[in-house]
Amino acid sequence: MTTLTTGTDTLTRDALTVLQPGFLGTTAPDWLLRRIGEGLSSVGLFGRNIDSPEQLAALTARLRSERDDVLVAIDEEGGDVTRLEVRHGSSFPGNYALGSVDDPGLTRAVAHELGRRLAACGVDLNWAPSADVNSNADNPVIGVRSFGADPQLVARHTVAYVEGLQAVGVAACTKHFPGHGDTNVDSHHALPRIDVDLDTLHARELVPFRAAIAAGTKAVMSAHILLSALDPDRPATLSPQILTGLLRRELGFDGLIVTDGMEMQAIASTYGIERGSVLAIAAGADAICVGGGLADEDTVLRLRDALVGAVRTGELPEERLADAAARVRALASWTQAHRARGAVSGPGAAVQEGTAPGTDIGLVAARRALRVTPGERPYVPMDGAPYVASFAPVANIAVGDETPWGVAAELERLLPGTTTGTYGTPSVDAVLGAAGDRRIVAVVRDAHRHPWMAEALDALLAARPDTVVVEMGLSQAEPRGALHIATGGAARVCGRAAAEAIVGL
């Protein structure tokens, strides 16, 4: 293990310390290792960096061969947003499925097992859970990433998730403060605006964050959203009123404040990532997340130099940058201590109380989350290979379109010969032609948000009333079909639970 490069001044080290960049590839590039040696204290991982648990463990070990206190972060929500299992789909249902069960013990057990797998691979900071109250069912970016629309339900499951993760030494990063659930714009593409009064914010959006802070969440991630009642001019990530005034002083949070990805267009197209990063640290943020899209040495150097330059011109107080860097190092020390002990502490168990040792807690949770509604006639389980018609909307960037979803793979396992077609604004005649005389399983995702999808279902059910409908997003529409299955999310494990119901297991 090397020490910090001799001659790197304190200001430059602090500027590197507050960055959480990504990189390309499944091995650590030389430039990244060099910058870790100079003071870079955090690295963010994405699906592009992961092939297998063994490869990931080797990668994190290589990073820590440069510095054993480097923070390795990941965006692993489970459910629809997975990086560990980006190529096959998650073994864990997401927040909406867990919230629909409403058993905090189950949520704690799922987060505990997810955290255990992260820790085993050397990951010690998870940019999760989402504590957003999904008060707008048409929200294009949160949806099933939220535990639900009830603030108290979201609060108790956020607490359980934080406890489960942190019991195995993986720091939780509760997001997206002060709440992204009432937006109708995806901040990856533009700046969302929420125009509700302070009483509503305190009674709704802030309830889960207060609970997470009380539960000891180690980090909080800011949202790139404009809340006019709190700051009419700057989004939360860049707002001293929101990060310092509300989160630090009023809510009493003393941990690490992490920004959402600074290359998201809500910041990049309005302020630019360099200017945005300076404003974020000045506002009270401690760590700059960048690397979902920008993942090269040039980005790291530009942000480092922007922070150093802002201190030297007096725009950014040196004490504020030093304080931010100290908070990063403090969290790194906490995770390092857990790794050194190799012990599990606090609430949470590998499986939920009452389940047998070795239980697949993800599958248990997915089965419990399933909501199955029969049609007017008795449902006859399938015993022959069906045709799966997948009506696929464009996935938001947080979820990505590289992770497989649906029920076809799981049905093929149970009913060999199952085939599938993927449709966007489909011709029902094309579906019927492809299906022939086989029974049809229509798979949708947030059908209430896509009129073309609802219209296609209407036409398909009129022609083939024995069609099974599987909703893998928010279940907002009236159940329909010979069997209607709401999974609460599109994780692989949710598809398996749905396939079992289709064949009558």
Side-chain angles (χ1 to χ4, degrees):
M1 182 184 72
T2 61
T3 57
L4 295 182
T5 301
T6 303
T8 304
D9 62 81
T10 300
L11 178 57
T12 302
R13 288 201 302 271
D14 285 349
L16 282 170
T17 295
V18 302
L19 303 180
Q20 292 189 348
F23 61 96
L24 300 178
T26 55
T27 58
D30 290 342
W31 71 261
L32 182 64
L33 299 173
R34 184 168 61 253
R35 300 306 170 189
I36 290 173
E38 293 175 358
L40 186 68
S41 294
S42 306
V43 175
L45 300 180
F46 298 86
R48 64 183 179 233
N49 304 123
I50 300 170
D51 278 336
S52 68
E54 295 77 17
Q55 168 268 328
L56 178 55
L59 171 59
T60 59
R62 180 67 184 94
L63 295 172
R64 293 201 171 97
S65 70
E66 293 297 318
R67 281 183 52 201
D68 58 7
D69 63 344
V70 69
L71 277 170
V72 180
I74 199 169
D75 190 8
E76 182 59 46
E77 299 177 15
D80 290 27
V81 182
T82 180
R83 313 306 179 202
L84 283 180
E85 300 181 275
V86 67
R87 289 165 178 77
H88 305 290
S90 180
S91 300
F92 303 96
N95 286 4
Y96 184 64
L98 294 170
S100 69
V101 178
D102 196 13
D103 179 350
L106 180 66
T107 297
R108 185 179 295 108
V110 166
H112 187 280
E113 176 59 16
L114 178 58
R116 187 194 65 78
R117 295 189 190 185
L118 289 172
C121 294
V123 177
D124 50 17
L125 171 59
N126 192 10
W127 294 321
S130 168
D132 306 294
V133 178
N134 200 52
S135 51
N136 183 352
D138 291 329
N139 193 315
V141 68
I142 301 300
V144 295
R145 299 169 66 198
S146 167
F147 288 111
D150 174 28
Q152 296 299 331
L153 178 146
V154 175
R156 58 181 171 265
H157 287 277
T158 297
V159 167
Y161 202 105
V162 167
E163 290 175 344
L165 275 181
Q166 295 188 170
V168 290
V170 175
C173 184
T174 305
K175 63 187 184 185
H176 306 81
F177 184 83
H180 211 310
D182 193 23
T183 60
N184 58 12
V185 172
D186 185 343
S187 51
H188 290 89
H189 302 299
L191 178 62
R193 181 185 181 99
I194 298 178
D195 291 312
V196 298
D197 56 40
L198 285 174
D199 288 343
T200 300
L201 287 171
H202 280 277
R204 190 177 65 187
E205 272 74 19
L206 296 180
V207 170
F209 290 98
R210 288 183 184 274
I213 291 167
T217 185
K218 293 295 179 181
V220 168
M221 177 176 282
S222 66
H224 304 329
I225 56 176
L226 191 70
L227 292 100
S228 55
L230 294 171
D231 188 335
D233 301 316
R234 290 185 179 177
T237 295
L238 312 183
S239 171
Q241 293 96 308
I242 295 175
L243 296 189
T244 299
L246 177 61
L247 183 53
R248 287 276 187 235
R249 294 174 185 161
E250 185 173 345
L251 300 187
F253 178 63
D254 195 40
L256 189 75
I257 300 177
V258 183
T259 72
D260 207 343
M262 296 300 286
E263 69 269 43
M264 294 164 63
Q265 292 304 304
I267 300 296
S269 66
T270 52
Y271 295 88
I273 63 167
E274 294 95 336
R275 173 80 176 148
S277 296
V278 169
L279 292 175
I281 297 295
D286 305 305
I288 301 296
C289 176
V290 64
L294 299 171
D296 54 30
E297 184 176 21
D298 179 65
T299 300
V300 171
L301 296 180
R302 284 191 292 129
L303 295 182
R304 180 201 66 184
D305 293 347
L307 293 168
V308 170
V311 170
R312 288 176 174 163
T313 62
E315 181 181 10
L316 175 62
E318 186 170 2
E319 296 79 6
R320 171 78 275 273
L321 180 60
D323 173 66
R327 291 180 189 275
V328 175
R329 295 179 188 121
L331 181 57
S333 295
W334 181 84
T335 59
Q336 185 182 25
H338 269 270
R339 286 197 308 276
R341 288 198 301 269
V344 173
S345 61
V351 296
Q352 189 183 20
E353 184 178 354
T355 58
T359 296
D360 183 344
I361 194 63
L363 183 57
V364 168
R367 287 169 174 162
R368 288 185 63 187
L370 218 61
R371 299 293 180 262
V372 181
T373 306
E376 294 180 358
R377 299 177 180 178
Y379 174 69
V380 178
M382 293 186 187
D383 56 6
Y387 180 75
V388 179
S390 178
F391 297 167
V394 176
N396 70 65
I397 294 176
V399 173
D401 57 9
E402 71 272 28
T403 304
W405 67 282
V407 301
E410 294 300 328
L411 277 172
E412 168 65 23
R413 184 175 59 83
L414 298 174
L415 298 173
T418 296
T419 57
T420 186
T422 301
Y423 302 89
T425 59
S427 161
V428 171
D429 287 341
V431 176
L432 295 173
D437 60 0
R438 289 176 292 173
R439 292 180 67 178
I440 298 173
V441 178
V443 185
V444 297
R445 201 170 182 176
D446 292 339
H448 70 284
R449 290 203 303 114
H450 304 285
W452 67 265
M453 201 179 289
E455 292 168 7
L457 273 182
D458 286 341
L460 184 58
L461 289 169
R464 292 286 298 271
D466 62 343
T467 295
V468 171
V469 177
V470 181
E471 170 61 81
M472 303 196 81
L474 289 181
S475 184
Q476 301 291 308
E478 286 294 319
R480 48 187 169 167
L483 194 69
H484 186 276
I485 303 171
T487 63
R492 175 179 54 82
V493 71
C494 296
R496 178 175 174 181
E500 292 173 348
I502 290 169
V503 302
L505 295 181

